[in-house]
């Protein structure tokens, strides 16, 4: 779990009290990403996660979320979270890494 520092203060007391923010859950894909040269690259896929079941793999590049291009990790997460509540289908356009590049 991570909480951007600018979002922590309003939810800190609830996190300490209940172990969660109190905000509605957001969609979770099960990927770790990093921004590389203006692209969002998958660095890890959680086994059994929605991303794993969809076939995402380390080295894949996420081009768009819900038909909107993404150029950075912050933009990627904002678009995923705006797709709906936890459990919502999130449509990605992905450039898959070559099998030899993995």
């Amino acid at each position: 779990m991570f909480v951007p520092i600018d979002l922590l203060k309003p939810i800190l007391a609830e996190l300490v009290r209940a172990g969660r923010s109190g905000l509605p859950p957001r969609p979770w894909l099960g990927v770790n990403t990093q921004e590389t040269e203006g692209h969002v690259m998958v660095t890890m896929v959680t086994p059994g996660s929605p991303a794993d079941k969809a076939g995402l793999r380390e080295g894949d590049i996420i081009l768009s979320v819900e038909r909107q291009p993404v150029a950075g990790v912050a933009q990627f997460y904002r678009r995923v979270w705006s797709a709906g509540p936890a459990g919502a289908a999130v449509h990605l356009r992905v450039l898959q890494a070559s099998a030899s590049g993995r």
Side-chain angles (χ1 to χ4, degrees):
M1 179 180 99
F2 70 91
V3 178
I5 192 70
D6 56 326
L7 301 178
L8 181 60
K9 191 173 182 178
I11 63 169
L12 182 57
E14 189 67 13
L15 281 175
V16 171
R17 187 190 72 72
R20 55 183 54 231
S21 71
L23 298 172
R26 295 175 170 174
W28 174 76
L29 303 179
V31 295
N32 289 13
T33 59
Q34 76 178 33
E35 191 172 322
T36 305
E37 298 180 15
H39 298 289
V40 177
M41 186 171 64
V42 175
T43 58
M44 188 185 89
V45 178
T46 302
S49 68
D52 184 34
K53 292 174 184 174
L56 267 72
R57 299 289 173 252
E58 182 180 331
D60 289 353
I61 296 173
I62 299 170
L63 302 172
S64 67
V65 176
E66 299 297 326
R67 298 186 175 168
Q68 297 179 26
V70 293
V73 173
Q75 188 178 55
F76 166 69
Y77 282 106
R78 281 193 299 271
R79 296 228 166 107
V80 167
W81 294 337
S82 70
V90 179
H91 300 95
L92 305 177
R93 188 166 150 237
V94 177
L95 178 62
Q96 293 194 303
S98 67
S100 62
R102 291 185 190 154

